Amino acid sequence: MSQADAARLKLFQLVSPALPVGAFSYSEGLEVLVQQGLLAGPQDLEPWLCAELQRGAVAMEAAALGTLFSALRGGDRAAVLELDGWLLAQREAVEVRAQQRQMGQSLLLLLADLGWPLPGGAPLAWPAAFAWAALCLELGSPDLEEAYLYSWVANQISAAVRLVPLGPTQGQRLQLALAPLIAEQAAELSSSDPRQLWNGGIGAGLAQLQHAELYSRLFRS
């Protein structure tokens, strides 16, 4: 098996729904939108996901992965922590910030158990922990950015299947339809400076803030 083939298999492991980081328990505001009647089916979900991939916080996080990767590889702890904190500050909702921290810590604990403890043991949020995983698994751009965006879309669709009248087949059809945009965005974001981007996901931010006020809920964000 070539190194490229081995890296591809490691990439599959990183985006697998079996990765024990708890992503399945978060909707990132989708639950609010469904309860408000704003997401009633795949015809509403697809443009929402496209907008977030192009102009949401997830795009800024994907753009930061290369910088985080380089800083981690170079042992620049201060740069990693500074960018990690800056990315967290882009998330308005307390629940989503808690999500980012929990998923990041879960991934770091998993990697430590697999033999890749993070030097210094700093608590990192999800994007920085994802970059550390990529470094450990010897992944590079744009595969790293593709994996991050793909994983985010898959988790959002998984949440939607449980919230919206959206069957598993429709969910898979939507994931396929978004593949070209994921690849396009990954290629562009891999050479972008996250601090030169802007977060246009105002609707997502408002939905995430309102999640804590729901009377009943299935998800943690």
Side-chain angles (χ1 to χ4, degrees):
M1 177 183 295
S2 68
Q3 288 185 342
D5 291 336
R8 179 64 61 178
L9 291 176
K10 293 175 183 177
L11 180 65
F12 294 158
Q13 185 170 354
L14 186 57
V15 301
S16 169
L19 194 72
V21 295
F24 66 90
S25 61
Y26 300 103
S27 81
E28 297 191 26
L30 286 187
E31 189 166 18
V32 169
L33 298 171
V34 171
Q35 289 200 22
Q36 292 177 346
L38 298 176
L39 283 182
Q43 74 282 355
D44 301 318
L45 182 60
E46 183 171 1
W48 178 268
L49 295 178
C50 286
E52 286 299 293
L53 284 169
Q54 293 170 321
R55 298 181 294 277
V58 68
M60 298 176 70
E61 291 167 358
L65 292 175
T67 302
L68 289 166
F69 184 97
S70 296
L72 286 163
R73 182 172 56 188
D76 191 343
R77 177 187 174 94
V80 172
L81 293 178
E82 193 276 333
L83 185 51
D84 181 66
W86 184 81
L87 289 171
L88 266 181
Q90 307 309 309
R91 295 290 194 166
E92 300 93 340
V94 172
E95 288 184 346
V96 178
R97 292 197 296 272
Q99 168 190 338
Q100 297 290 80
R101 292 190 183 99
Q102 179 270 302
M103 288 176 58
Q105 282 303 101
S106 295
L107 182 55
L108 291 178
L109 288 173
L110 172 63
L111 292 168
D113 288 341
L114 293 175
W116 293 300
L118 178 68
L124 300 178
W126 177 242
F130 200 91
W132 175 245
L135 181 59
C136 296
L137 298 174
E138 300 177 335
L139 305 175
S141 294
D143 288 347
L144 170 58
E145 290 79 11
E146 282 184 355
Y148 192 87
L149 296 176
Y150 177 93
S151 177
W152 179 82
V153 168
N155 286 329
Q156 289 282 277
I157 291 176
S158 175
V161 166
R162 286 171 279 169
L163 288 167
V164 184
L166 182 73
T169 300
Q170 288 177 308
Q172 291 299 305
R173 185 176 292 116
L174 181 53
Q175 184 86 51
L176 283 171
L178 291 173
L181 177 58
I182 291 172
E184 176 185 323
Q185 282 297 96
E188 180 177 342
L189 294 171
S190 65
S191 59
S192 298
D193 180 352
R195 297 182 187 277
Q196 298 302 314
L197 302 179
W198 53 276
N199 179 4
I202 298 172
L206 291 172
Q208 291 157 9
L209 286 166
Q210 293 173 54
H211 188 265
E213 301 175 0
L214 291 181
Y215 176 74
S216 63
R217 52 188 182 172
L218 296 175
F219 293 88
R220 295 173 63 185
S221 73

